[in-house]
Amino acid sequence: MHKLIVDANKKGLRLNLKELFQYKDLFLILAYRDLRVRYAQTALGLIWVVIQPLATLLIFILVFGKAIKVDTGSVPYALFAISGMAAWSYFAFVLAQAGDSIISAQEMVKKIYFPRLVIPLSKAVVGLVDFCIGLFLVIVLMMVYGFTPSINIVYFPLFLIMTIISALAVGIWMSALTIRYRDFKHVVPFLVQFGLYATPVGYPSSLVINNLPDWASILYYLNPMVGVIEGFRWTLLGQQAPSVYSLISFSIIIILFISSLFYFKKVERIMADVV
């Protein structure tokens, strides 16, 4: 019989991957539960997963494609926009859901012991549904426009991993911060709304680099999703390779992810008391 000893005074911020793996069943149950209740008791059910990106794409086409006439080179604007939306939608979903995930599960956190990191991690799995729908729409538009993926597609898994890590990094940070500072619960929706326009989803990042001074471009690339979406379009559509500024975004992702795990581990010891 497995014996578990929980010591609240135990020091150390080391991530226990073995313990996380032991709770894989709980991880899968939480992800499945979230997936089931997401569109439960709605008239259209899972159809909302398709309607939402299509509605956003329509607005982008009208604003950036028709009104502003953003130059996307040889790539049709609808295909350009949906390729960025696929990555951004996943990031935004995980950020929004993971942000208050610990607060939402406070009754479970108070009553039983398990690695609390399982909760925000499970949100990353649920978000993959939106991501797959976004990729499906990319493939459909490629077929409609007769667009062939570039050879750079072999690097797609790399940027997929970067998308997941960046979403988890910010999501874990927010979930830990929200426990102590409930104001962050209201910051997350603002970040999602502001980030949509501060990220090259509806326009190319070259528009920012070519029209702003270097210092402003550096600030722009502090957004981790800027470099990721550049990479997405490079692998899927064969557009210009990520700029040298993208190294800033990739560095931010690594720093945010490592620091989020350390901070979450630090707060985890007192979660049941303050949640």
Side-chain angles (χ1 to χ4, degrees):
M1 185 178 191
H2 179 68
K3 185 177 182 181
L4 177 65
I5 300 175
V6 181
D7 183 1
N9 297 317
K10 187 178 179 180
K11 302 294 183 183
L13 300 175
R14 186 171 61 88
L15 181 64
N16 192 338
L17 293 177
K18 183 180 178 182
E19 186 186 43
L20 272 177
F21 183 76
Q22 288 173 342
Y23 284 86
K24 62 182 183 303
D25 291 339
L26 176 62
F27 168 78
L28 294 174
I29 290 172
L30 290 176
Y32 180 66
R33 181 204 62 180
D34 289 345
L35 195 59
R36 284 197 62 183
V37 303
R38 188 175 174 191
Y39 295 107
Q41 298 181 342
T42 59
L44 298 179
L46 282 175
I47 297 177
W48 280 111
V49 181
V50 179
I51 292 177
Q52 289 171 341
L54 285 179
T56 307
L57 178 62
L58 179 61
I59 294 172
F60 271 47
I61 291 174
L62 293 175
V63 176
F64 293 102
K66 299 295 182 183
I68 302 179
K69 298 186 184 303
V70 170
D71 182 12
T72 57
S74 59
V75 179
Y77 181 79
L79 182 56
F80 173 89
I82 197 69
S83 61
M85 284 173 53
W88 173 257
S89 298
Y90 176 78
F91 177 84
F93 177 85
V94 176
L95 170 60
Q97 295 298 312
D100 67 342
S101 59
I102 302 294
I103 301 294
S104 301
Q106 56 181 293
E107 292 303 320
M108 189 168 66
V109 170
K110 289 178 180 176
K111 292 176 180 175
I112 60 175
Y113 172 79
F114 62 94
R116 310 314 193 202
L117 194 57
V118 166
I119 298 176
L121 288 181
S122 66
K123 306 301 180 185
V125 176
V126 181
L128 287 175
V129 174
D130 293 58
F131 185 74
C132 290
I133 294 296
L135 283 185
F136 173 73
L137 294 175
V138 170
I139 294 171
V140 169
L141 286 180
M142 280 183 168
M143 294 173 67
V144 169
Y145 289 112
F147 200 95
T148 305
S150 74
I151 188 66
N152 303 331
I153 193 75
V154 296
Y155 296 103
F156 179 76
L158 172 64
F159 288 98
L160 173 59
I161 293 172
M162 294 290 280
T163 305
I164 295 174
I165 292 177
S166 60
L168 278 175
V170 181
I172 292 171
W173 257 114
M174 284 298 164
S175 64
L177 286 170
T178 304
I179 295 168
R180 280 187 167 176
Y181 313 103
R182 301 299 169 96
D183 290 318
F184 280 95
K185 188 175 180 180
H186 303 286
V187 170
V188 170
F190 170 75
L191 283 179
V192 172
Q193 188 176 23
F194 175 75
L196 177 62
Y197 298 101
T199 306
V201 178
Y203 57 88
S205 54
S206 58
L207 200 65
V208 175
I209 298 175
N210 296 336
N211 293 286
L212 293 178
D214 287 344
W215 65 267
S217 296
I218 291 172
L219 283 179
Y220 181 65
Y221 277 83
L222 289 176
N223 177 351
M225 285 304 290
V226 174
V228 170
I229 289 181
E230 274 191 350
F232 251 69
R233 291 198 172 114
W234 176 62
T235 58
L236 291 174
L237 309 178
Q239 289 204 307
Q240 189 175 3
S243 70
V244 67
Y245 289 115
S246 294
L247 294 175
I248 299 173
S249 294
F250 301 149
S251 300
I252 291 295
I253 291 173
I254 295 171
I255 293 171
L256 279 177
F257 186 62
I258 294 174
S259 60
S260 70
L261 293 176
F262 274 101
Y263 184 71
F264 192 94
K265 194 69 180 175
K266 181 181 178 181
V267 176
E268 187 178 30
R269 290 198 295 267
I270 60 169
M271 278 183 185
D273 299 323
V274 300
V275 75

